[in-house]
């Protein structure tokens, strides 16, 4: 059995608390990211890793030494660093003739929040996908006077600014991907009887009632609904004919 896959039993309370933090949670905390420099990374790639690390603080780990690894061919080294630094996201940078300024990215998703305080918002990351490219821009948030309670917001570009091209993608194996998408039972919505929803989120309810006799239903009395004398005579004749046949 590999040393990374064996079950580690904690020997101290501190180690037990550390392992409990790594266990799956119903509401996950903010994921940490590690930024790794390849064996042949140039100055441009190194500067990008530093700038992204500055944006990810304090939820990032920057490895300054060069690491000779190929994520698309062998992921064992990335898995080792991920478990060692407790990071579930990563960014790998390298450079060569075939793939200059190569970046392998697996993050950029912040926490889900319900309210935002403008005074605490410092910068904005903006992503645009257009014509096979991904434009990454970062802006500094400036609050200006607007003459009312809500300030006027202006964006000032501060860097880094990247024009990314998607060259290669790599998905996990089917069983590992299925395991990562598994939802805990506590988070699964409970099925309510006779209540369903369509694809647009509209809720429909079904009510079960006893069979109704519509002939005894009281309707609004209107002149247009009253029977004519001819209709009454024909109904009386039909009733008499039915009685004669029965006798």
């Amino acid at each position: 059995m590999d040393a990374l896959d064996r079950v580690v039993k904690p020997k101290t309370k501190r180690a037990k608390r550390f392992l409990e933090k790594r266990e799956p949670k119903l509401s996950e905390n903010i994921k940490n990211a590690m930024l790794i420099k390849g064996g042949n990374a140039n100055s441009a790639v190194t500067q990008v890793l530093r700038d992204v690390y500055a944006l990810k603080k304090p939820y990032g780990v920057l490895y300054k030494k060069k690491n000779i690894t190929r994520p698309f061919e062998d992921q064992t080294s990335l898995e080792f660093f991920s478990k060692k630094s407790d990071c579930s996201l990563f960014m790998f940078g390298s450079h060569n003739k075939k793939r200059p300024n190569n970046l392998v990215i697996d993050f950029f998703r912040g926490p889900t929040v319900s309210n935002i305080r403008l005074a605490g918002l410092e910068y904005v990351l903006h992503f645009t996908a257009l014509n096979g490219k991904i434009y990454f821009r970062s802006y500094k948030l400036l609050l200006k006077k607007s003459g009312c309670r809500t300030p006027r917001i202006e964006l000032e570009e501060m860097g880094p600014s990247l024009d990314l091209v998607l060259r290669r993608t790599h998905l996990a194996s089917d069983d590992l991907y299925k395991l990562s998408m598994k939802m805990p039972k506590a988070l699964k919505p409970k099925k309510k009887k006779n209540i369903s929803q369509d694809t647009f989120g509209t809720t429909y309810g079904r009510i079960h009632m006893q069979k109704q006799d519509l002939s005894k239903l009281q309707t609004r009395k209107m002149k247009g609904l009253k029977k004519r004398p001819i209709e009454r005579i024909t109904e009386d004749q039909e009733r008499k004919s039915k009685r004669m046949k029965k006798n």
Side-chain angles (χ1 to χ4, degrees):
M1 183 181 291
D2 191 3
L4 295 176
D5 298 330
R6 70 172 184 265
V7 178
V8 180
K9 293 183 179 180
K11 297 181 181 179
T12 61
K13 292 183 178 180
R14 183 179 179 182
K16 185 178 180 181
R17 290 194 300 267
F18 178 76
L19 292 177
E20 286 178 352
K21 289 182 181 180
R22 289 191 173 186
E23 291 179 354
K25 304 178 181 63
L26 295 179
S27 56
E28 292 288 345
N29 50 4
I30 301 176
K31 296 182 178 181
N32 297 327
M34 58 180 181
L35 298 99
I36 303 175
K37 183 166 55 174
N40 50 355
N42 58 2
S43 59
V45 172
T46 304
Q47 187 61 41
V48 169
L49 293 175
R50 290 175 180 174
D51 293 342
V52 175
Y53 170 68
L55 296 175
K56 289 292 294 181
K57 280 185 177 180
Y59 305 105
V61 177
L62 177 62
Y63 287 91
K64 297 181 180 180
K65 294 183 179 181
K66 293 183 178 181
N67 297 274
I68 302 175
T69 181
R70 295 179 179 178
F72 281 90
E73 297 177 7
D74 187 11
Q75 300 88 25
T76 54
S77 58
L78 289 178
E79 292 175 358
F80 172 77
F81 287 121
S82 176
K83 292 186 178 182
K84 182 180 178 181
S85 57
D86 191 19
C87 295
S88 54
L89 307 175
F90 75 93
M91 183 175 185
F92 179 82
S94 62
H95 174 77
N96 52 43
K97 291 183 179 180
K98 187 177 181 181
R99 298 183 181 89
N101 300 328
N102 186 34
L103 293 175
V104 180
I105 303 176
D106 184 34
F107 62 94
F108 278 124
R109 180 182 177 181
T112 303
V113 295
S114 56
N115 296 318
I116 297 177
R117 184 172 178 265
L118 292 178
L121 195 61
E122 299 179 356
Y123 58 88
V124 176
L125 301 179
H126 184 264
F127 297 86
T128 305
L130 182 64
N131 297 330
K133 290 186 177 182
I134 301 175
Y135 299 94
F136 166 48
R137 300 291 184 269
S138 56
Y139 299 95
K140 183 180 179 182
L141 200 69
L142 302 176
L143 303 179
K144 302 290 185 178
K145 293 183 179 179
S146 61
C148 58
R149 187 175 181 180
T150 304
R152 181 170 56 88
I153 299 175
E154 291 185 1
L155 299 178
E156 180 181 350
E157 190 171 354
M158 66 175 188
S161 299
L162 306 175
D163 297 342
L164 305 175
V165 179
L166 187 62
R167 293 172 180 166
R168 292 185 296 175
T169 58
H170 181 73
L171 295 177
S173 57
D174 295 338
D175 54 346
L176 188 60
Y177 184 79
K178 186 178 180 180
L179 182 62
S180 64
M181 297 298 291
K182 189 177 180 180
M183 184 181 294
K185 292 182 179 180
L187 293 179
K188 290 183 179 179
K190 295 182 179 179
K191 293 183 179 180
K192 296 182 179 179
K193 195 175 181 180
N194 300 325
I195 295 178
S196 60
Q197 286 187 346
D198 58 5
T199 54
F200 300 101
T202 307
T203 304
Y204 296 95
R206 181 182 296 176
I207 301 175
H208 297 274
M209 300 178 62
Q210 296 180 354
K211 190 176 180 180
Q212 293 181 333
D213 187 2
L214 299 180
S215 62
K216 298 180 180 179
L217 185 65
Q218 181 65 33
T219 58
R220 187 178 177 184
K221 295 181 179 180
M222 297 176 61
K223 292 183 179 179
L225 297 176
K226 290 183 177 180
K227 294 181 180 180
R228 298 178 182 180
I230 300 174
E231 293 177 352
R232 292 178 181 175
I233 294 170
T234 53
E235 285 184 358
D236 292 340
Q237 291 177 353
E238 289 177 356
R239 290 175 183 174
K240 289 180 180 179
S241 59
K242 288 181 180 180
R243 291 176 183 175
M244 293 291 291
K245 290 178 179 180
K246 288 180 180 180
N247 294 331

